Amino acid sequence: MIGGINLSTIYNISLITLIILSLGQLVLIFFLARYIGAFIRKIESVNGIKIGTLQLDQIAPAFREYNHRGEKVISTELFSNHRTLLLFINTNCPTCKTLLPELRNIKRHYDINLVLVNTDEQHEDSLIVNHVSEDMIYLRSNKLMRLYSITTVPYGILINEDKKIEQISEMKNSNSLWNLLLNVDRKVS
């Protein structure tokens, strides 16, 4: 007993005070996290700013991957030859499957490198391979999805001869794919 107060009472009061302070700190951290999230969303809403994604006129990330034929694909060589369309798809994506028949038409009308990147490395992909012609490049790589900060498929990135990102677009349908190529010169027949 200290000054007429039992030690267990002091201990209990200290414990209750500590719990209240800890709960107060948790509430403060919760509201601070919400405030930071709202702040980041506000920054992302500013025209042209997007956190964690690629920007127009940014140099496209370089990569080395093997295509479905076992040939090494080096992006810096690929990007310096022609404009390059990277089309990110997934084996199990229904919208992606509707874009596949358009690939040969795109190669027929445009003098571009067409790189089809399947982010699914596990499932059977014969449907996709059947739509890939000899003048297209087909890669299976989840790593490229992370490298290019892709969060949804289908997604298209048009890269110019200076290795800079010229267009970026999520693909809702085949019209989105054709719209991505509006500023690209068509082949002369």
Side-chain angles (χ1 to χ4, degrees), residues 154-173:
Y155 201 88
I157 300 176
L158 186 63
I159 300 167
N160 65 22
E161 297 88 345
D162 296 325
K163 302 176 184 120
K164 291 186 178 181
I165 296 173
E166 192 173 309
Q167 293 288 330
I168 303 172
S169 179
E170 183 178 336
M171 304 287 139
K172 302 285 186 196
N173 53 38

Side-chain angles (χ1 to χ4, degrees), residues 104-148:
R104 291 179 195 250
N105 288 332
I106 287 171
K107 282 301 291 179
R108 194 174 8 252
H109 291 93
Y110 293 97
D111 186 25
I112 62 170
N113 295 319
L114 191 112
V115 181
L116 194 60
V117 182
N118 188 351
T119 61
D120 172 28
E121 298 174 342
Q122 305 299 319
H123 296 92
E124 201 275 320
D125 65 341
S126 61
L127 175 70
I128 296 169
V129 172
N130 289 338
H131 285 90
V132 175
S133 62
E134 287 296 318
D135 55 353
M136 294 180 212
I137 297 171
Y138 175 56
L139 307 171
R140 292 188 85 170
S141 175
N142 198 349
K143 181 178 80 175
L144 288 182
M145 184 175 187
R146 290 188 305 274
L147 180 65
Y148 279 83

Side-chain angles (χ1 to χ4, degrees), residues 14-91:
S14 299
L15 188 60
I16 290 172
T17 305
L18 183 63
I19 290 172
I20 290 172
L21 287 174
S22 297
L23 288 174
Q25 287 178 334
L26 284 175
V27 169
L28 181 66
I29 290 170
F30 172 76
F31 283 111
L32 186 60
R34 286 187 59 187
Y35 177 76
I36 290 170
F39 178 71
I40 289 174
R41 281 190 296 280
K42 196 172 269 190
I43 287 174
E44 287 178 339
S45 70
V46 174
N47 194 17
I49 296 177
K50 195 101 169 157
I51 305 296
T53 61
L54 298 174
Q55 301 297 312
L56 296 179
D57 292 326
Q58 174 184 342
I59 298 290
F63 64 86
R64 291 173 188 242
E65 288 286 334
Y66 287 95
N67 67 14
H68 70 291
R69 295 181 201 104
E71 303 161 339
K72 187 183 275 189
V73 176
I74 301 171
S75 64
T76 52
E77 294 172 5
L78 188 69
F79 298 160
S80 63
N81 292 337
H82 293 92
R83 280 186 172 145
T84 301
L85 173 62
L86 295 178
L87 182 59
F88 290 85
I89 62 165
N90 189 287
T91 308

